[in-house]
Amino acid sequence: QDANAQQLSQELEKAGLLNKTKIAEGGRKLRKNWNPSWVVLVGNSLMFFKDPKTQNSDSWKPGNSCPESSVDLRGAQLQWANELSSKKNVFKLRTVTGNEFLLQSDTDTVIREWYSTLQKVIDRLDKE
Ligand code: I3P
């Protein structure tokens, strides 16, 4: 509840639809399962919402549904990872806890904006 309240008090930095698959949990490799996900960047957290058809950019606000999962960007690592997929425009996000996600968009500008925005947040957190 406190963590949620903290997230809500922070500013929405970016939100949009990306394809997502988790490929590792605590360093343990997982089988890929690509799904469209509504991705919301608020403060230090990247949140993933299910079923983008019934979700929108207001989904993270009070009274709306909880994210499917949430990633703490502190200490996270970002890298382009086109070699890890047959899809184009793929990058990998690795958390300090060893969770790894691939994020993808068919639209070059969309994925580049996400990459640079996430890298800026990670860099900012590294300096704190
Ligand atoms: C996987 C599925 C993924 C694919 C993955 C396949 O098969 O086709 O979309 O990843 O390739 O193994 P399954 O559904 O049977 O698990 P990409 O779309 O990212 O290429 P991979 O094993 O080479 O990662």
Side-chain angles (χ1 to χ4, degrees), residues 21 23 29 31-34 84-87 90 102:
T21 183
I23 58 165
K29 199 169 179 278
R31 185 173 174 178
K32 273 182 187 167
N33 181 24
W34 284 103
L84 295 183
S85 176
S86 59
K87 301 180 194 302
V90 176
L102 299 183

Side-chain angles (χ1 to χ4, degrees), residues 9 12-13 21 28-29 51 55 70 72 103 105 119 121:
S9 72
L12 173 68
E13 302 215 34
T21 183
R28 192 175 55 90
K29 199 169 179 278
D51 193 6
Q55 304 276 2
S70 180
D72 182 0
L103 293 170
S105 170
Q119 192 61 67
V121 172

